[in-house]
Amino acid sequence: MMKSTLLALAITAVVSTPAMADEALAKSKNCMACHAIDKKVVGPAYKDVAKKFAGQKDAVDVLSNAILKGSKGVWGPVPMPPNAQVSEAEAKTLATWVMSLK
């Protein structure tokens, strides 16, 4: 009984990571319609974004702003529209998650 309880707790801990919750947020805000973690869709792969902004102290703020207000010219001619359905806190969470991807 104890082994099965510990196993269940371990599985829950692995499955319920903050990164998975942040990916779920990206899906719920329709970010994944244009982006994927590891491949270009309409916009760049999130891993490519993390690489491009790696080492920049203000990366999370820059990305949060782009999520909220949109951007153009950073990744080519296709602009990223503003995301009015995303709050400032959610934008910061999403930007932090993107920057965590390797």
Side-chain angles (χ1 to χ4, degrees):
M1 180 73 166
M2 180 64 125
K3 285 183 182 179
S4 63
T5 301
L6 290 174
L7 181 60
L9 288 171
I11 290 170
T12 301
V14 170
V15 173
S16 301
T17 64
M20 291 182 76
D22 297 340
E23 183 177 349
L25 177 62
K27 288 177 181 177
S28 76
K29 297 299 181 175
N30 210 26
C31 303
M32 302 303 240
C34 296
H35 298 278
I37 291 174
D38 57 2
K39 66 180 180 194
K40 181 181 181 340
V41 183
V42 174
Y46 288 136
K47 287 184 177 187
D48 291 338
V49 174
K51 283 181 197 171
K52 183 172 188 155
F53 289 92
Q56 291 187 25
K57 291 180 183 179
D58 64 344
V60 170
D61 291 333
V62 169
L63 293 176
S64 295
N65 191 51
I67 292 166
L68 291 169
K69 298 179 181 176
S71 69
K72 55 184 162 184
V74 179
W75 295 92
V78 178
M80 180 172 144
N83 292 284
Q85 79 279 10
V86 177
S87 71
E88 286 187 34
E90 290 168 332
K92 185 146 314 243
T93 297
L94 290 166
T96 301
W97 171 67
V98 168
M99 290 305 299
S100 76
L101 299 171
K102 306 274 187 263

